Amino acid sequence: MITIWVPKRLVEIDLCNVAARSGPELVAVCEAGYARRLRYAAKKIRQSGAKIIMLTGPSASGKTTTSHKLAAALREMGTPAQVISLDNFFRGSEYYPKMPDGTLDYEHPDTLDMPLIRQCLQELSQTDHTVLPTYDFVKEERAEKTEPIDLAGGVCIVEGIHALNPVLTSLVPSGHVYRIYAGLREEYCQEGRRLIGTQDIRLCRRVLRDAATRGRSPEKTLAMWERVLDGETRYIKGFKNTADFLLDTAFTYELSVIAGLLPEVGRVMSPDSIYTEMWDETARRFEHVEPLSRELIPEEAMLREFYR
């Protein structure tokens, strides 16, 4: 199968600002575009005949919520679909590999129970049934509870940063697997000069999400960012070209939502923090973007994963 990659769009910030003045109309257009992309992906999955859908993407690409929305689109078309998170296959903190400086390498594939993942995928592809583990994120260890799963003749969407790693799918017949890479395909420029890239959008998503839902300070998220990017380079992006489908998770109106939220982050950061300069540099990229209220984001939108 030949994968056709769509190049990233480079959009003038001034055009985004003009569109943002329509407020709800721009939001509706962007959300409708994302819904069309989901339906098209669901159609391609159904045409492939695969049972196991492996979906990955870099940090804050929206892969978790997109997986569930893709499953919903498949069910609307008559295909039973369930989502499996690779996070439930974590082995436990005592098994995590270490970086050269002695810190835990949370991005390494060996944080996952690879033999158990392969076993579950084999069972699902052959019998439609398996038993999944669960993980206690508070204790950072495997929980006693397990979860039986029955595909009922449908598909499962396996989401996680290592979902395209061939180590996970090597024992599943190739015709049973369909690979999706979720990523942002829109960047922004001023007078033709690229100013805001997909990495900037993802960093803002992660900082705002972690602060709102995970109790993590902006400084802590920023401190982890270089390591996250290094993990993506080592363990995710190398398998991008093996994907059968690239699912775009960019929203033009998000640029203006971020511009409206950036001051909130600046107010809670310590002026003495070594990461304040890093954040200020990111914020300056949005100086010419007209803000939109987060209240315009629909309650069921994918972006609610990041902007509560």
Side-chain angles (χ1 to χ4, degrees):
M1 179 181 294
I2 299 176
T3 304
I4 299 176
W5 296 104
V6 178
K8 289 181 180 178
R9 304 179 295 280
L10 189 60
V11 182
E12 281 282 349
I13 289 175
D14 286 345
L15 292 178
C16 293
N17 288 338
V18 171
R21 290 166 197 158
S22 69
E25 289 80 6
L26 174 61
V27 172
V29 168
C30 293
E31 292 293 339
Y34 174 67
R36 285 194 299 271
R37 298 194 292 272
L38 283 175
R39 289 193 296 271
Y40 185 66
K43 179 181 176 182
K44 298 295 285 186
I45 289 170
R46 284 162 56 89
Q47 290 174 347
S48 75
K51 281 189 176 183
I52 312 297
I53 316 305
M54 307 299 289
L55 190 151
T56 194
S59 176
S61 60
K63 57 185 173 292
T64 299
T65 303
T66 293
S67 295
H68 287 278
K69 288 188 174 294
L70 182 56
L74 284 162
R75 290 192 290 267
E76 288 176 4
M77 294 180 178
T79 299
Q82 300 185 52
V83 177
I84 296 173
S85 172
L86 287 177
D87 287 356
N88 279 319
F89 289 88
F90 281 136
R91 300 168 65 206
S93 58
E94 70 269 29
Y95 299 105
Y96 288 179
K98 292 185 178 181
M99 303 285 282
D101 63 2
T103 58
L104 298 180
D105 186 355
Y106 289 97
E107 313 296 324
H108 198 286
D110 285 350
T111 59
L112 300 174
D113 189 336
M114 291 293 191
L116 182 57
I117 294 172
R118 291 198 296 269
Q119 175 187 324
C120 289
L121 293 180
Q122 270 191 301
E123 292 173 352
L124 287 170
S125 68
Q126 295 170 4
T127 71
D128 271 11
H129 297 83
T130 194
V131 178
L132 302 174
T134 59
Y135 190 75
D136 187 325
F137 286 90
V138 175
K139 297 180 179 178
E140 292 198 64
E141 62 184 27
R142 180 79 53 82
E144 293 185 7
K145 178 185 175 184
T146 57
E147 179 184 353
I149 185 172
D150 179 1
L151 297 186
V155 303
C156 69
I157 301 172
V158 182
E159 68 91 5
I161 63 172
H162 299 297
L164 295 195
N165 191 319
V167 174
L168 273 65
T169 58
S170 59
L171 297 181
V172 180
S174 59
H176 287 208
V177 179
Y178 191 81
R179 299 166 177 84
I180 296 177
Y181 187 95
L184 289 79
R185 306 301 297 168
E186 186 167 283
E187 299 186 313
Y188 308 95
C189 64
Q190 193 168 41
E191 298 179 350
R193 180 174 63 89
R194 193 183 78 127
L195 191 63
I196 300 172
T198 57
Q199 189 172 300
D200 299 312
I201 300 293
R202 292 194 296 113
L203 175 60
C204 291
R205 283 182 176 185
R206 182 155 174 159
V207 167
L208 291 161
R209 178 198 63 192
D210 288 0
T213 66
R214 303 187 180 185
R216 187 176 293 155
S217 69
E219 286 90 348
K220 189 168 184 180
T221 300
L222 291 166
M224 297 169 58
W225 188 238
E226 287 301 321
R227 194 159 292 172
V228 168
L229 296 179
D230 177 64
E232 291 173 2
T233 300
R234 287 185 292 155
Y235 306 127
I236 301 176
K237 293 183 177 179
F239 303 119
K240 181 177 179 179
N241 288 336
T242 69
D244 302 299
F245 189 87
L246 190 151
L247 184 52
D248 183 5
T249 56
F251 296 79
T252 301
Y253 78 90
E254 181 182 9
L255 189 71
S256 293
V257 171
I258 292 173
L261 294 173
L262 290 178
E264 294 184 12
V265 179
R267 283 193 291 270
V268 300
M269 290 194 68
S270 167
D272 299 325
S273 170
I274 61 173
Y275 298 104
T276 298
E277 183 177 348
M278 174 183 176
W279 181 252
D280 287 345
E281 181 180 345
T282 299
R284 280 193 293 271
R285 298 174 184 272
F286 291 80
E287 284 180 343
H288 301 288
V289 178
E290 294 188 10
L292 275 180
S293 170
R294 84 177 90 190
E295 300 303 320
L296 290 175
I297 304 175
E299 284 302 318
E300 300 303 318
M302 186 276 278
L303 289 179
R304 283 291 175 185
E305 178 181 340
F306 305 102
Y307 313 114
R308 298 297 175 89

